[in-house]
Amino acid sequence: MSLPPSFLDELRARLPLAALVGRHVRLTRRGKELTGLCPFHNEKSPSFTVNEAKGFFHCFGCGAHGDAIGFVMRRENLPFMEAVEKLAAEAGLAMPRRDPGAAAAEERRTGLTGVMDQVAADYERRLRLPEGKPALDYLHRRGLSEETIRRFRLGWSGEGRGALLSSLGRAGVTVEQLVAGGLMKPANSGEGFSDLFFSRVMFPIRDRRGRVIGFGGRILGDGQPKYVNSPETELFHKRRSLYGLDLAAEPARKAGRIIVVEGYMDVIALHQAGFPQAVAPLGTALTEEQMAELWRYAPEPLLCFDGDAAGARAAARAAELALPLIEPGRSLRFVTLPAREDPDTLIRRAGPAAFTALLERARGLAETLFGLIAEGGGGAATPEQRAALRQRLDQAAGTIKDPALRDEYRYQFRTWWEERFRPARRFGPGERFQGGGPRGQGRASGAGARYGSSAFHRPGYGGPGNGLRGRIAVTTPTPARAAAERERCLVAILLNHPALIAQVEETLAGLDFADPALDSLRRALLDIAHSSTGSGTGLDAAHLARHLLAMGLRETAEAVLSPVPTPLPACAMPSAMPADAWAGWWHFSALGRRERLNEEIAEAEAALAREFSAANEQRLVALRRVRAALDEDEAGAQPPL
């Protein structure tokens, strides 16, 4: 139904935005605007503003924006029409009259909602009768308290055979209404109607406003199917509904966390154990509509699947479905349960603390998807299988619509692929590292090596007199010159891959280059990374070149990158994969600093213990491999053919 603009204008005029927002946010006047802490995300300093003249609110922290109707929609998680109806009732405005067909449909739905509530009450009543004692005993054996049973309105369906109609017919409920609500169906004999639910523990399914829209029923004992859900009706749509959302919405919004589990009892057990943000889909895999609903409450919903093969399949389906939908600030995290455990059994066996520990170890979408693909069918024993795996990872990342995020996933997947599957290569005495992946695999570079484009490179540059002081040719590998060449490679990698600066910043700051020109570049890179015009994760080679030009260091940088007289290794080239450049930097930073290498490894181990991240793990692995290669060099080991 479309609403007249004049009606919406009158509604906004009767309910000033500042007064509406002021019920939930403490506002302070600042010039022409009011400011306060945003009610839609956790923050310590105010970034939420209300413009009374324009009738709009805006949060500079999370981007929330809108008018009075939009505020109520977001604050109470209501669709547009329900938010308008709520505000109209408060403002004393009569809603515009709808066309007769729409009005009749709404009246029918309202009546059906009342019938569903009566049915839920009848099921609750039967649970307390002698016939419901086995069901009540079952719920108590599952550890549910009386308060929890009442809160979730659990019940017992009875034995069927028309018992529901017999009980509610006296209150004016008709068989047509029970059929419309998905509670009765035509009898198999073709005559009359029969109850859909019989001899089952009943779980009312409610919408976000707490209205009963459907039911789930669990059989007692080992019969099949174990669970039966209501069919699709005017009220109940499985793809859009989440069990427990009416109770979880407010706790999830306040905590910025929502937990998705697989079953009714998992949701109920988690709520009772102190995790009131838990919800569940309704017997099907997560849908796009349900994911959109989850993202209204938290930027990274926690998906918790059973620790079995079915749980792994469910995680894979959810990850693949989410990829085209994610964007910066909106993703998923995955919680993996122990084998043969679900949240209900885990909490009963080990207590809430065990579940909290699992939540704290939740993995991101990228890490989860990589694991699922890498550990899936096909193997990775041959080059062909590894190439196929890499292709599947690239294809998965390619489904992400946001270009920047898509590139990040491809980079991360390739980094992990290199770390896990590229064969190791050891170095013989005196052999130079020439690029390659995290395991040290690389290729020699020479005068004929191909060079990609660089923001610093100028054709023909690098003749006599233009190089750095102490610039070393590969033909005279004295210790001093070898050290200078290592320093040059470290700087060259960062010039061509400035996004790495933030990842190596601490180590870079602790280096002391012998060559003054190289050391000036080292300090400049650190300054640029900290400057207001650039950060280590946001720089690219073109921006970095402009910064160095302004600092008078452009020619120095060009000399570092010149292939004359000494070509750069492959990992320092602009065409190198980010993972290759990253691994090469750590390799060169460790060479010649044997006395410092063990300290670096200890620091990397401590960093990984503090924060288990891919970057920290990769740094530690790279440093350990450098130490192993140096150990073998000193022992005189020869590289494998």
Side-chain angles (χ1 to χ4, degrees):
M1 172 186 177
S2 60
L3 296 171
S6 58
F7 170 79
L8 296 176
D9 290 342
E10 178 65 18
L11 182 63
R12 297 183 183 104
R14 292 197 185 190
L15 294 172
L17 179 60
L20 191 67
V21 173
R23 301 172 188 173
H24 309 284
V25 180
R26 184 177 180 179
L27 297 172
T28 303
R29 183 165 297 282
R30 183 178 298 171
K32 295 181 179 180
E33 294 184 334
L34 299 167
T35 64
L37 296 176
C38 180
F40 306 123
H41 78 287
N42 294 324
E43 63 177 9
K44 295 182 179 179
S45 57
S47 62
F48 183 86
T49 64
V50 174
N51 188 311
E52 295 175 285
K54 296 181 179 180
F56 280 92
F57 69 88
H58 181 77
C59 178
F60 292 93
C62 67
H65 181 84
D67 60 3
I69 299 170
F71 182 83
V72 173
M73 289 174 63
R74 184 182 287 267
R75 178 69 177 76
E76 302 188 24
N77 291 300
L78 296 176
F80 174 79
M81 193 59 69
E82 291 184 16
V84 170
E85 290 173 350
K86 177 181 176 65
L87 290 172
E90 184 175 336
L93 275 176
M95 290 288 293
R97 298 185 66 179
R98 305 181 183 183
D99 65 81
E106 181 61 30
E107 184 177 352
R108 184 173 62 252
R109 283 193 293 270
T110 301
L112 190 55
T113 300
V115 169
M116 300 295 280
D117 189 74
Q118 289 178 271
V119 172
D122 190 69
Y123 289 154
E124 288 180 279
R125 179 183 64 85
R126 291 178 184 275
L127 184 66
R128 307 296 173 173
L129 297 177
E131 65 172 284
K133 188 176 186 304
L136 187 59
D137 291 344
Y138 164 79
L139 295 173
H140 287 157
R141 286 197 305 273
R142 295 292 296 263
L144 301 189
S145 67
E146 285 292 329
E147 179 185 354
T148 297
I149 292 171
R150 286 192 295 270
R151 190 169 187 232
F152 283 87
R153 300 193 66 182
L154 305 184
W156 171 248
S157 67
E159 297 298 329
R161 300 184 181 87
L164 189 60
L165 179 61
S166 175
S167 177
L168 298 181
R170 293 187 292 271
V173 176
T174 66
V175 66
E176 290 78 14
Q177 289 175 313
L178 294 176
V179 171
L183 297 158
M184 297 191 75
K185 61 181 181 179
N188 292 333
S189 64
E191 297 182 2
F193 297 87
S194 62
D195 293 352
L196 179 68
F197 299 103
F198 54 89
S199 300
R200 290 182 180 270
V201 179
M202 299 303 295
F203 300 82
I205 301 166
R206 299 179 288 209
D207 64 13
R208 68 168 72 92
R209 296 174 65 183
R211 300 174 299 187
V212 178
I213 57 175
F215 291 90
R218 187 198 193 284
I219 197 168
L220 291 179
D222 299 323
Q224 293 294 329
K226 182 183 291 187
Y227 282 94
V228 172
N229 288 326
S230 291
E232 295 280 315
T233 68
E234 288 185 81
L235 299 179
F236 179 54
H237 305 282
K238 288 182 182 180
R239 293 185 60 85
R240 299 203 297 265
S241 302
L242 289 164
Y243 181 70
L245 183 60
D246 60 312
L247 299 176
E250 186 63 16
R253 187 191 64 78
K254 288 182 178 178
R257 178 179 78 176
I258 192 162
I259 305 167
V260 184
V261 290
E262 293 192 57
Y264 298 114
M265 288 301 300
D266 294 325
V267 171
I268 296 171
L270 285 175
H271 277 249
Q272 182 171 279
F275 303 92
Q277 308 91 6
V279 298
L282 297 157
T284 60
L286 274 173
T287 65
E288 290 186 19
E289 293 89 340
Q290 289 167 337
M291 284 191 182
E293 186 75 12
L294 293 168
W295 278 319
R296 296 175 69 179
Y297 300 94
E300 290 186 312
L302 290 154
L303 273 54
C304 183
F305 294 106
D306 294 351
D308 54 19
R313 289 193 297 270
R317 287 194 300 269
E320 291 172 3
L321 176 66
L323 281 177
L325 308 175
I326 62 173
E327 57 189 35
R330 191 172 82 170
S331 188
L332 299 173
R333 295 186 69 79
F334 290 79
V335 179
T336 303
L337 290 161
R340 295 179 296 279
E341 292 273 25
D342 55 41
D344 179 26
T345 60
L346 177 67
I347 286 173
R348 282 192 286 156
R349 179 182 62 80
F355 189 72
T356 297
L358 289 179
L359 294 181
E360 292 173 350
R361 295 199 299 270
R363 298 188 301 168
L365 175 58
E367 183 182 359
T368 299
L369 190 61
F370 180 88
L372 290 168
I373 294 176
E375 294 161 13
T382 67
E384 292 81 4
Q385 289 173 335
R386 290 192 294 274
L389 171 61
R390 183 165 181 166
Q391 185 178 48
R392 288 196 297 273
L393 290 167
D394 274 344
Q395 289 172 344
T399 64
I400 299 173
K401 295 179 180 178
D402 183 273
L405 189 59
R406 181 170 60 242
D407 289 345
E408 288 294 328
Y409 265 68
R410 280 185 171 142
Y411 165 57
Q412 187 65 78
F413 283 162
R414 289 170 183 175
T415 299
W416 285 333
W417 186 92
E418 294 275 357
E419 171 66 28
R420 185 162 181 171
F421 295 110
R422 178 159 286 184
R425 182 182 189 277
R426 295 184 176 92
F427 297 89
E431 185 180 11
R432 281 178 53 189
F433 179 87
Q434 297 292 343
R439 293 184 182 272
Q441 182 181 11
R443 61 182 185 275
S445 62
R450 293 183 59 194
Y451 285 78
S453 61
S454 168
F456 300 93
H457 179 62
R458 291 191 307 196
Y461 190 88
N466 287 333
L468 297 170
R469 292 190 298 274
R471 188 70 181 276
I472 304 305
V474 73
T475 54
T476 55
T478 66
R481 290 178 175 178
E485 187 63 16
R486 286 195 295 270
E487 293 172 359
R488 175 207 175 204
C489 289
L490 286 171
V491 173
I493 291 171
L494 298 182
L495 289 174
N496 280 329
H497 301 274
L500 298 179
I501 297 174
Q503 301 178 38
V504 303
E505 181 179 350
E506 183 177 348
T507 299
L508 182 64
L511 297 177
D512 185 15
F513 289 172
D515 188 294
L518 286 172
D519 203 53
S520 67
L521 277 177
R522 180 188 66 84
R523 293 194 305 270
L525 293 176
L526 290 168
D527 290 342
I528 293 170
H530 283 97
S531 72
S532 59
T533 56
S535 68
T537 57
L539 287 171
D540 58 28
H543 286 96
L544 183 60
R546 287 196 291 272
H547 287 303
L548 292 175
L549 178 62
M551 300 169 76
L553 293 171
R554 175 67 179 264
E555 290 192 357
T556 305
E558 289 173 339
V560 168
L561 298 177
S562 173
V564 180
T566 308
L568 287 169
C571 64
M573 299 305 298
S575 58
M577 291 292 296
D580 296 346
W582 184 93
W585 197 93
W586 283 111
H587 184 93
F588 284 120
S589 73
L591 291 175
R593 297 188 306 121
R594 185 55 184 263
E595 72 285 354
R596 171 67 177 134
L597 183 56
N598 288 334
E599 296 177 16
E600 291 255 358
I601 291 174
E603 291 171 2
E605 290 171 340
L608 184 63
R610 288 194 304 271
E611 180 184 357
F612 191 89
S613 65
N616 286 342
E617 183 181 24
Q618 290 162 358
R619 175 190 175 193
L620 178 59
V621 169
L623 290 172
R624 284 175 172 171
R625 285 184 174 148
V626 171
R627 182 171 63 183
L630 293 176
D631 288 343
E632 293 186 4
D633 283 354
E634 292 172 359
Q638 295 297 319
L641 296 177

